[in-house]
Amino acid sequence: MTLDELQIGKSATITAVGGEGALRCRLLDMGLIPRTKVQIQKVAPMGDPIELRIRGYELTIRKEDAAKIEIIPEDETI
């Protein structure tokens, strides 16, 4: 499952960050690294961008970028 598929208010753990080159580096620099807990806070009226809560702060990213981040929803974590 990818981050763009997570419902508002739900939490998940990041398992992998995709993308290539500068995009992947930018995502990692923003704190979107494996084993980090993330929660969807809001989604814009047209569905893009989405606001996340991660590491105690809010982060807004494009849905296209969120689709490159693989997650395990909180209810499925072991």
Side-chain angles (χ1 to χ4, degrees):
M1 179 176 199
T2 57
L3 189 56
D4 65 319
E5 299 169 338
L6 194 62
Q7 299 295 317
I8 296 173
K10 301 289 183 178
S11 296
T13 302
I14 297 172
T15 58
V17 178
E20 294 183 11
L23 172 63
R24 185 170 191 278
C25 287
R26 193 180 98 227
L27 293 173
L28 294 170
D29 288 345
M30 289 189 291
L32 296 164
I33 58 174
R35 294 188 303 260
T36 302
K37 187 175 175 180
V38 63
Q39 181 182 29
I40 302 294
Q41 293 289 100
K42 301 176 191 171
V43 177
M46 299 298 283
D48 193 27
I50 60 175
E51 183 179 293
L52 316 171
R53 179 139 183 97
I54 182 169
R55 298 178 179 264
Y57 67 94
E58 280 78 31
L59 173 68
T60 303
I61 63 173
R62 296 181 300 174
K63 196 167 187 172
E64 177 184 340
D65 295 340
K68 294 174 174 44
I69 301 168
E70 294 182 28
I71 59 167
I72 295 177
E74 191 173 73
D75 56 353
E76 292 181 22
T77 55
I78 298 173

